[in-house]
Structures are given as C-alpha cells and as structure tokens.
Amino acid sequence: MAFLIHNTLTGRKEQFIPLEPGKVKIYVCGPTVYDHSHVGHARAVVVFDVLIRHLKYLGYEVTYVRNFTDLDDKIIARAREENTDFLALAERYIKSFHEDMDALGALRPDVEPRATHFIDLMIADVAALVQTGAAYQVDGDVYYDVSKFLDYGRLSGRNIEEMMAGARIEVDERKRGPWDFVLWKASKSGEPSWPSPWGPGRPGWHIECSTMSRRLLGDEFDIHGGGHDLIFPHHENELAQSAALGRKFAHYWMHNGFVRVDNQKMSKSLKNFFTVKEVLAGCDPEVLRLFLLSKHYRGPIEFSEEGLAETRRSLDRAYQALRGAAESSPGMIDDTDGRDTAAVWTGFVEAMNDDLNTARALGCLFEAVKELNRLVDQGRLDGPDSTGIGRWRSTITGMGRILGLLDRDPEEWFSRGVTSGGKAEEKASSPETGGDGLTREKIEALIQLRAEARRKKDWAEADRIRGELKARGVVLEDAGGQTRWRWGD
C-alpha cells in the first residue's frame, strides 16, 4: 500500500517517494520559546510524532529535526520585562516545552537545533543572497527582494500582484517592495547583537530554518512541516530564499490545522489559549493526545471540556477491554465467530497511509475494542477456549503503538488519582480522577466488604458501599462473578 501525503505545495495528495530509498529526512518548525506551550502547539507536535511513528512502522529510517527559535522580538521583550537574560528565559521555556511534550508521549526529535547556535552560518547565507542580487542592504538591515522570485506565492496559493494591490502592511520607504522581508536586523540599544558585514545586528526569523535545515539535512530533504499559520509568510519566505541559493529544499510540505475555541483560532495574540500545563492539571495526558488525533490533522479541531470528557470515556472503554483480556486466557488465539483481525488491521493501515487519516484509523481501533469486549464477555459465559482474545488484544496494542496510545497497564489507568503508600499518583483535586484521598487498598477493602455483604444477602449494606464509592468517584462493575472498579464521570 502506497503512503499518500497531501502536499501543500501542489495542493493534492501524492504518493510519498523518499529521496533516498528506505530513508526519510524531516524538518518541522518548532516553537518560539518565550512562554509555556498551548494546546495548538501540542497538536503540531502530536501530529508529526504520529507521522514519525507511522513512517518507522512502514520500515523507514527517519531523521527528524525540529528547531527552537531562541532569539526573537517576543523573547527579548519578555526577558526585558523580567529583567533576565534572554537565553536564560529561552532555556526555561525549552525545559517547559519538553516537560509538556514528554507527558503527551511525543518522541524527542533526533536533533533539536537552536537558532543562536547557527548565527555565523545565517550570516553566510544572507551574504550569499546579497551576492546573488536576491537581497539588498539598507542602513544596516538586509531585505530579500521578493520581485526577484517569480514563484513567490506558490506555496500559499497567493498571487503576488493581487497581494501588492491590496497590501495592508506597514509601509517602510526603505524597502523596494511592500512584501520584501528582513534577513538581517540592525541592532537596537539594549538588544543582543552579533557582528556582520552590515554592522552589528541579528538574523530575521525566516532565515533561521533555511540555514538550520540546510546544515542538518542537506540542500534538499523529504518533508517540511508545521502549523497552518506558518504557510504564509514563514514557509513561503523560506522557500523563496532557499531557491535563490540554488536549493531544491523540501519535496513535500505538510501543515496541520488550527485548534479552535468558540470557532476562533487558539492563539496567544487573541488571548483565548489554554496552556498544556493548565489542561493537564485536570486531564490525563493520554486523553489530550487522543483528543488531538480524533480529527484529520489538516482540518480544525474545536477544543472543549465536553470533547475531553467524551475522549476520556473512549479511553476507558479501550482500557476496560484490555483489562478484561488480561483476566481471560491470552494464549487462546482461534476466533471462529468474529471478524478476522487482519481485516481490521488492514483498514487501520490503509487509513494511516491515506494522508495520515487518524480519525478513520481510530474508527478501526475502536472497532477492534468492540470485538475484544464481545469476546471477553463471551468467554465469561462459555469459557475462553474458542476466542481470539490474545490476537485482538495484540491488534489493539499494535495500533496504539503507532498512535502513541494504550501503552499503560489497565490497572494503572483505572487507578489514576489513587494514592499508594501515601504518595499521590495524580492530583487528588483533578476532575479527571475525582479522587479525594482514597487509596487503592481502601477501595479494594470496601469491595471485599461489599462482597461479604452480598454473600450474606445483606443487599442494603452492599448497596450502601456501592453508593459510597460512587459518591467518591469510583464506579463498580459486576461481571462474570467478579467486581472491577474504575473512576467514573
């Protein structure tokens, strides 16, 4: 089965053919580190994390690069506000970013370059652009001359003449054209600067990724990715300046859609964002990860508490099936009654190969969850001798590995929020768990007391214990002569 990617550059799905057989080089634009990451940042990280996982499943050797912009107007302004060094501030938020994305189960890239480590090479690239005539100097600033790149606007689908006619940008009389963009900024008082042929200053944002990708992946590489908001002007400008240096640059361009709140893009400028840390204070990281994968990556996704709650219930069903399978006979793999696991697995892989359609792939995963639950229930009634419990369980966990889901022990999942040995496993106040200081031992002890009451046919006492646990957020489920528990809504 061919792997298809929607290429932003051509506007259509294309069969992915790597430059070098068996190997894939990917560059994804990372965050500007002046604050904690929000859910929109998390979506981009999770989407490209799944891309990496799927490519590895397909057998490719992947080189994954994602940068940090640690030099920017916003970083400098924030550092000035806090009376701290700009690099110390960037380091703080790089650490915060890693904490958040590690919690979401995202694999670390092979290389995470920082802009400040490549200043000399950026200066060399800007000088080369000036030498070719694609850039010009004005009062210590250096600008790219957009009129010299006839294909400008190709990536974003914008017509440069129409853009010029309807331009609503700040006029800088020093520039030859309104859409010319800065490659090198002359230094201002109190700002960090580096020596250059045009005087002290610092690089513009757009030159950063062109320089870093070239040094780390070569003049051309397979996939360039990022959020939809980077298509214009950032990626358009990267393409223009790289082409002027004779680079073929990226062959495929992938962009994920926005996270929206009340039908508006989540962004710091609109002040309608939720940081990952805020969300994870009341939500298991796996819930947020699944939520972000529940829609196709290229489209928008509407963030809401209701959406997270529904996602948690879906994960509960999946872990419930895996827990039931663990309590059955996992060695029995013959399934004569239900669907063949191969058909569901094929559907899953076909969905992932169709431009990383995680929404459809999750449909296959939960179809497998439904089948596993059926077999577990059948095994409780008739015995597990003719079930394919082990095979279905392996199918589900295999899908989970590609999506970065369902890799925890089911008992751990249903015990989240419970304290053990006096150490809290998750915040007791979290609405995700509903915990109120219960320990696992206390819950199990109450379940044993209820079992005794039921043996004595003291139904009132059994109901009282069930009600007490329910009031404290613990749901009991009786099936096959056993009582299991989980955190409820």
Side-chain angles (χ1 to χ4, degrees):
M1 293 180 283
F3 179 37
L4 302 179
I5 290 176
H6 184 276
N7 190 349
T8 307
L9 187 62
T10 62
R12 63 176 182 267
K13 289 183 188 178
E14 299 176 359
Q15 180 177 347
F16 175 68
I17 301 174
L19 290 166
E20 184 178 352
K23 297 184 178 181
V24 183
K25 297 179 180 179
I26 299 176
Y27 189 98
V28 176
C29 283
T32 300
V33 283
Y34 69 98
D35 203 347
H36 297 296
S37 301
H38 62 60
V39 177
H41 300 134
R43 189 184 195 196
V45 170
V46 169
V47 163
F48 288 102
D49 180 63
V50 171
L51 172 65
I52 301 303
R53 289 169 181 266
H54 186 58
L55 287 169
K56 288 181 176 179
Y57 162 75
L58 294 176
Y60 291 107
E61 179 184 330
V62 180
T63 302
Y64 176 26
V65 179
R66 184 184 64 218
N67 73 292
F68 287 114
T69 294
D70 59 347
L71 176 63
D72 178 86
D73 290 342
K74 294 175 181 177
I75 296 173
I76 294 169
R78 184 72 175 268
R80 186 181 293 120
E81 289 173 8
E82 298 186 9
N83 193 29
T84 188
D85 177 71
F86 81 98
L87 286 176
L89 181 125
E91 185 65 39
R92 182 203 315 165
Y93 289 115
I94 288 173
K95 180 181 179 183
S96 173
F97 177 86
H98 278 146
E99 289 171 352
D100 292 342
M101 304 314 154
D102 288 350
L104 291 172
L107 304 172
R108 294 272 184 108
D110 299 291
V111 188
E112 292 184 294
R114 304 184 186 195
T116 54
H117 294 179
F118 288 76
I119 301 291
D120 289 345
L121 294 172
M122 292 176 198
I123 291 172
D125 283 349
V126 174
L129 287 167
V130 173
Q131 182 68 29
T132 65
Y136 56 93
Q137 175 189 357
V138 181
D139 301 330
D141 293 328
V142 180
Y143 293 96
Y144 182 93
D145 188 345
V146 168
S147 69
K148 299 294 179 67
F149 185 53
L150 298 180
D151 278 343
Y152 192 80
R154 180 186 172 197
L155 181 66
S156 58
R158 302 185 182 210
N159 182 290
I160 187 64
E161 293 181 358
E162 293 176 358
M163 288 166 57
M164 294 291 189
R168 292 185 179 181
I169 60 175
E170 183 179 349
V171 176
D172 185 342
E173 297 296 340
R174 302 177 307 151
K175 296 198 302 184
R176 296 175 183 174
W179 290 102
D180 293 355
F181 56 88
V182 68
L183 298 169
W184 184 262
K185 296 181 177 183
S187 64
K188 296 179 181 179
S189 177
E191 292 188 350
S193 65
W194 288 258
S196 81
W198 318 283
R202 57 190 170 90
W205 178 37
H206 306 302
I207 195 66
E208 292 180 6
C209 291
S210 293
T211 295
M212 290 187 283
S213 64
R214 181 185 188 188
R215 269 45 180 215
L216 295 170
L217 296 176
D219 279 346
E220 55 184 320
F221 54 96
D222 296 292
I223 300 172
H224 196 340
H228 189 272
D229 55 331
L230 296 180
I231 297 175
F232 188 89
H234 186 49
H235 285 172
E236 192 77 70
N237 291 349
E238 282 186 42
L239 181 59
Q241 62 203 7
S242 297
L245 290 174
R247 296 185 62 194
K248 293 184 178 180
F249 211 47
H251 284 220
Y252 303 87
W253 295 74
M254 296 178 69
H255 295 93
N256 63 275
F258 298 131
V259 176
R260 299 172 67 89
V261 179
D262 297 328
N263 293 315
Q264 285 188 307
K265 172 196 168 186
M266 181 184 290
S267 69
K268 290 178 178 176
S269 61
L270 294 175
K271 298 181 180 179
N272 65 344
F273 66 93
F274 296 91
T275 69
V276 175
K277 285 179 169 54
E278 288 171 337
V279 175
L280 296 189
C283 169
D284 189 278
E286 194 168 351
V287 172
L288 179 56
R289 183 181 178 100
L290 175 56
F291 172 79
L292 294 172
L293 295 174
S294 62
K295 303 292 184 182
H296 193 285
Y297 78 89
R298 285 193 291 114
I301 186 169
E302 188 75 15
F303 182 80
S304 68
E305 292 295 332
E306 294 79 8
L308 290 176
E310 177 57 35
T311 302
R312 180 172 60 80
R313 288 190 285 270
S314 296
L315 275 170
D316 280 348
R317 289 196 297 273
Y319 273 110
Q320 188 71 28
L322 293 175
R323 181 162 72 171
E327 293 171 352
S328 300
S329 298
M332 301 299 176
I333 62 172
D334 296 326
D335 179 14
T336 57
D337 299 324
R339 291 192 57 189
D340 183 4
T341 55
V344 178
W345 180 261
T346 298
F348 174 85
V349 175
E350 287 177 346
M352 295 296 289
N353 278 346
D354 184 13
D355 191 31
L356 217 65
N357 193 332
T358 56
R360 203 169 86 216
L362 285 167
C364 296
L365 185 148
F366 283 101
E367 183 180 348
V369 166
K370 181 179 179 180
E371 185 67 12
L372 179 57
N373 270 323
R374 181 189 72 80
L375 292 172
V376 169
D377 289 342
Q378 175 183 306
R380 290 196 188 104
L381 294 173
D382 305 326
D385 294 343
S386 63
T387 69
I389 287 174
R391 187 147 44 95
W392 280 100
R393 189 179 194 280
S394 296
T395 297
I396 292 168
T397 55
M399 293 175 181
R401 277 191 294 275
I402 295 174
L403 295 171
L405 300 168
L406 302 172
D407 64 343
R408 290 149 75 175
D409 183 273
E411 293 305 324
E412 176 196 344
W413 173 259
F414 288 111
S415 299
R416 63 199 189 282
V418 178
T419 60
S420 178
K423 181 179 179 181
E425 295 175 0
E426 191 173 308
K427 292 182 180 179
S429 60
S430 167
E432 164 68 21
T433 65
D436 62 354
L438 281 175
T439 65
R440 184 180 291 105
E441 291 77 12
K442 287 180 182 178
I443 293 172
E444 297 292 349
L446 286 169
I447 290 173
Q448 287 300 316
L449 288 174
R450 177 173 175 267
E452 275 186 43
R454 294 179 76 189
R455 278 194 294 273
K456 296 176 181 178
K457 298 186 178 181
D458 188 350
W459 309 119
E461 176 63 8
D463 289 344
R464 185 196 67 76
I465 295 172
R466 176 191 282 273
E468 177 186 340
L469 287 170
K470 184 176 181 180
R472 300 173 74 176
V474 178
V475 176
L476 302 185
E477 296 175 343
D478 298 314
Q482 299 178 348
T483 298
R484 293 178 294 193
W485 66 272
R486 62 176 175 81
W487 290 108
D489 298 331

